[in-house]
Amino acid sequence: MSVWKAVNWNRPDDDFTDTFWKQNMMQFWTDEEIPLSDDQMSWLTLSHDERELYMKVLGGLTLLDTVQGGVGMPKILEWVDGLQRKAVLGFMGMMEQIHAKSYSSIFTTLASTEEIDNIFSWIESNRCLQIKAETISQYYNGIKTREDLYLAMAASVLLESYLFYSGFFYPLYLAGQGKMTSSGEVINLILRDESIHGLYIGMLAQEIYAQLDENEQQSAFDKLQSLIRNLHSNEELYTEELYQSVGLTDEVKAFIRYNANKAFMNLGLEPIFPEEDINPIVLNGISTRTKQHDFFSKKGNGYVRTLHVEALTDRDFLFDF
Ligand code: MN3
Ligand code: MN3
């Protein structure tokens, strides 16, 4: 019989997991805390095309969060050594389920049951979306070696730090103009979570990469390059399909290149696209956080932790390996 070990938080797995645990706890939120009904007036001012795009981008995001919560985090957690690391990944997986659920809260606020059902059928029939989910899931389900584990983690970082952003663009773009700001706040909370997920899994990935021999490293690097090429051409097609009707395709494409570079930085790799400016309205949308919402209004007195959240800076992640 093997010896079963219990998680001992008095003996740290490493010098960063405890920091990530605490940051995850501080950032904790649920969809029920964010009142969304204020967006109903704003929704009525959007055109048919704008509403359809909004529903579709949230539908696509729902699928990615469903995959990440149901497959990605559990599979990576299973293969990661370190009981505290597993705990952090388990918590992150739970947040993915809250993210996925929060889109449904937005849908319920804005749309009829029939419109919502139509979006969920659209998710199943949209080829680009299905390719994203299938491509990433293959890495999650195919872990047998350390190289596979590295690639599954790298795929996860691409999902967290890159694939979400064609979807985030539109709610941020609207929120940056004072439209749909409550839903925009939900998107900001999700974005804040995804940024620590991408960082954390990126750090675990870099550690695994360092353990591979030279041949494995080269092979993993080549496979990652081919993965990003495949994902990026799919992502460009998805962007064209969705954003053509509102004339934002080029801006979204610049935004996804910007985020592809961030994903590669999280993996400790060089950026793959030249540096470029992103739409200032979207940047403004990212900074709308906390303008709208007062956590006291929805939470009981005992629940003040979320008020003390400090944004992470790069300096929080200077660890000695
Ligand atoms: Mn998520
Ligand atoms: Mn995530």
Side-chain angles (χ1 to χ4, degrees), residues 65 96 99 164 190 194:
D65 271 313
E96 306 298 5
H99 300 167
F164 277 121
I190 294 173
E194 305 309 7

Short mmCIF file of all heavy atoms in Angstrom, two decimals, residues 65 96 99 164 190 194, ligand 1:
data_model
loop_
_atom_site.label_atom_id
_atom_site.label_comp_id
_atom_site.label_asym_id
_atom_site.label_seq_id
_atom_site.Cartn_x
_atom_site.Cartn_y
_atom_site.Cartn_z
N ASP A 65 -14.64 28.92 -20.31
CA ASP A 65 -14.61 28.74 -18.85
C ASP A 65 -15.12 27.36 -18.45
O ASP A 65 -14.64 26.78 -17.48
CB ASP A 65 -15.44 29.84 -18.16
CG ASP A 65 -14.59 31.07 -17.85
OD1 ASP A 65 -13.47 30.88 -17.33
OD2 ASP A 65 -15.02 32.19 -18.15
N GLU A 96 -13.41 29.15 -12.18
CA GLU A 96 -13.83 29.02 -13.59
C GLU A 96 -15.32 28.71 -13.68
O GLU A 96 -16.02 29.21 -14.56
CB GLU A 96 -13.05 27.92 -14.32
CG GLU A 96 -11.54 28.01 -14.26
CD GLU A 96 -10.95 29.26 -14.90
OE1 GLU A 96 -11.70 30.15 -15.33
OE2 GLU A 96 -9.71 29.34 -14.95
N HIS A 99 -17.09 31.88 -13.10
CA HIS A 99 -17.05 32.70 -14.32
C HIS A 99 -18.11 32.21 -15.31
O HIS A 99 -18.89 33.01 -15.84
CB HIS A 99 -15.68 32.61 -15.00
CG HIS A 99 -14.55 33.08 -14.15
ND1 HIS A 99 -13.24 32.84 -14.46
CD2 HIS A 99 -14.53 33.77 -12.98
CE1 HIS A 99 -12.45 33.38 -13.54
NE2 HIS A 99 -13.21 33.94 -12.63
N PHE A 164 -9.23 34.15 -24.35
CA PHE A 164 -10.38 34.86 -23.79
C PHE A 164 -10.57 36.25 -24.40
O PHE A 164 -11.65 36.83 -24.33
CB PHE A 164 -10.21 35.05 -22.27
CG PHE A 164 -10.62 33.87 -21.44
CD1 PHE A 164 -9.73 33.23 -20.59
CD2 PHE A 164 -11.93 33.40 -21.49
CE1 PHE A 164 -10.11 32.15 -19.80
CE2 PHE A 164 -12.33 32.32 -20.70
CZ PHE A 164 -11.41 31.70 -19.86
N ILE A 190 -13.57 38.83 -13.82
CA ILE A 190 -13.09 37.61 -14.48
C ILE A 190 -11.67 37.82 -15.01
O ILE A 190 -10.78 36.99 -14.80
CB ILE A 190 -14.06 37.19 -15.61
CG1 ILE A 190 -15.41 36.79 -15.01
CG2 ILE A 190 -13.47 36.05 -16.44
CD1 ILE A 190 -16.51 36.52 -16.03
N GLU A 194 -8.33 35.73 -14.40
CA GLU A 194 -7.59 35.06 -15.48
C GLU A 194 -6.13 35.52 -15.48
O GLU A 194 -5.23 34.74 -15.81
CB GLU A 194 -8.20 35.33 -16.85
CG GLU A 194 -9.68 34.99 -17.03
CD GLU A 194 -10.11 33.60 -16.61
OE1 GLU A 194 -9.29 32.86 -16.03
OE2 GLU A 194 -11.29 33.27 -16.84
MN MN3 B 1 -12.23 31.81 -16.15
#
